Amino acid sequence: MTTRQEILDWCDQTLQTDLFKDYAPNGLQVEGRNDVSKIITAVTASRAAIIYAAEQGADMLLVHHGMFWKSEPVTITGWKKERIATLLGHGINMAGYHLPLDAHPELGNNAQLAERMGWVREKQFGEQNLLNIGRLKTPQTLDELCADLRSRLGRAPTVVGSGERIISRIVWCTGGAQGFFQEAVEAGADAYITGEISEAQFHLANETGTAFIGAGHHATERYGIQALGEALACELGVETLFFDEQNPA
């Protein structure tokens, strides 16, 4: 067993949260009991994740997507009230780490996705080092790369590009990073892999020849929070369990 503050201090130091300008608060968002022996990790602080944490007798829910975002209503009503009431009713701490967890060179979503896919990462670049550039260990056609993503992530990606095109050099950024596609094009990528696609990326992919792959926001961001939980278990001796949801987005 350890304390809430020891866990938060370790996460803040490890993820270097003070280096990031983020859309949401990083760290503790809802305060629960002081002592922590069991942590549930999840991509998002959804009602389902909170209920699971309560059923497991957890002392903390540790997530990538927390509850308080720019441009959201600030009132604690409706769905937000229900989530917070459940946390408070069971004394569960809820802490979230957004961009710092995306960018961490070892535990981050981008690093962990590359590890699971077997991609060779050369460097991080772009806004707050959120973009990653590298290559496939063995060049594949776009169809083969997408089949590999589908097999490993359990979700069929949305793809724009010729399936027969040979892909070697790639840029990737997990989650909702479709807005960085132009930077991937300028970096000379054969393909850009992220979580989501918007209308504009269809045209840019067709007109530049750089393939665009939307592999799922949730699907591409399952792994960083698991890695963070596993590192916490090793460093501080707390029990961690991962809660997953079948989120197609």
Side-chain angles (χ1 to χ4, degrees), residues 30-33 50 82-93:
V30 178
E31 184 176 318
R33 62 182 68 95
I50 293 167
E82 293 298 326
R83 291 186 190 182
I84 294 174
T86 304
L87 289 165
L88 293 175
H90 290 85
I92 301 170
N93 298 282

Side-chain angles (χ1 to χ4, degrees), residues 89-106:
H90 290 85
I92 301 170
N93 298 282
M94 195 281 284
Y97 292 92
H98 186 229
L99 295 185
L101 186 58
D102 286 321
H104 192 275
E106 295 175 1

